[in-house]
Amino acid sequence: MAEVYKSYVRFQKNEGIRATMFRTLVTTGVLLGAICTMVGVAYAEDMIIGEWKTSDGDTVVINHCGDGYCGTIEEGEYAGRQIGKLTGSGGSYTGQLTDPDDNQTYDGTGAVQGNSLILKGCLMKIFCQSQVWTRR
């Protein structure tokens, strides 16, 4: 009878350890899953998406369009006009930029650095102009 009791006590101790290990693994798994989900949501939208204040004081909204990103003037003299389409990711973009003053389209690049969007439009890759927009 004493042998049975000792076996039962060993079994109970092992079950307690197993249950603790199981709870720890489940808790760790849930926490890791939550962290991965938050990171995925944080990087789901590209850095260029959002509202930007131009050097002229207008607001431009950049959103997904097709396989890239389109910028549309939200307010100001040229409200509603699309002024560019860029492709890329991770803060570096290339494509076409349109000057709303003369409606000319140029080869362009964009780079997001913190809360700034640095745009550069070039004619024949020689004559270039840059603007810095700030995130609203």
Side-chain angles (χ1 to χ4, degrees):
M1 189 68 154
E3 255 340 282
V4 171
Y5 180 74
K6 287 180 186 178
S7 294
Y8 177 75
V9 169
R10 267 195 309 268
F11 176 78
Q12 288 298 327
K13 285 182 182 178
N14 288 337
E15 278 302 304
I17 292 170
R18 287 185 193 126
T20 301
M21 288 175 59
F22 179 75
R23 280 193 304 272
T24 303
L25 286 173
V26 168
T27 303
T28 304
V30 169
L31 289 174
L32 286 174
I35 290 170
C36 290
T37 300
M38 287 187 294
V39 169
V41 169
Y43 286 101
E45 285 198 18
D46 211 290
M47 300 166 73
I48 198 168
I49 293 177
E51 289 187 0
W52 298 91
K53 186 84 147 180
T54 69
S55 57
D56 295 335
D58 296 333
T59 299
V60 173
V61 176
I62 299 178
N63 280 315
H64 289 282
C65 68
D67 61 346
Y69 306 97
C70 293
T72 304
I73 299 175
E74 188 77 3
E75 57 186 42
E77 183 180 351
Y78 302 106
R81 187 175 292 180
Q82 183 176 324
I83 59 167
K85 182 173 181 179
L86 301 170
T87 59
S89 64
S92 181
Y93 308 90
T94 60
Q96 303 290 310
L97 299 172
T98 302
D99 183 347
D101 289 330
D102 61 10
N103 209 30
Q104 292 287 336
T105 300
Y106 303 94
D107 291 329
T109 61
V112 178
Q113 296 178 353
N115 284 327
S116 296
L117 173 59
I118 302 160
L119 295 168
K120 182 176 174 182
C122 297
L123 177 64
M124 300 185 318
K125 297 187 183 194
I126 299 172
F127 305 105
C128 300
Q129 287 188 344
S130 296
Q131 283 190 5
V132 178
W133 297 354
T134 54
R135 190 176 296 278
R136 285 194 70 165

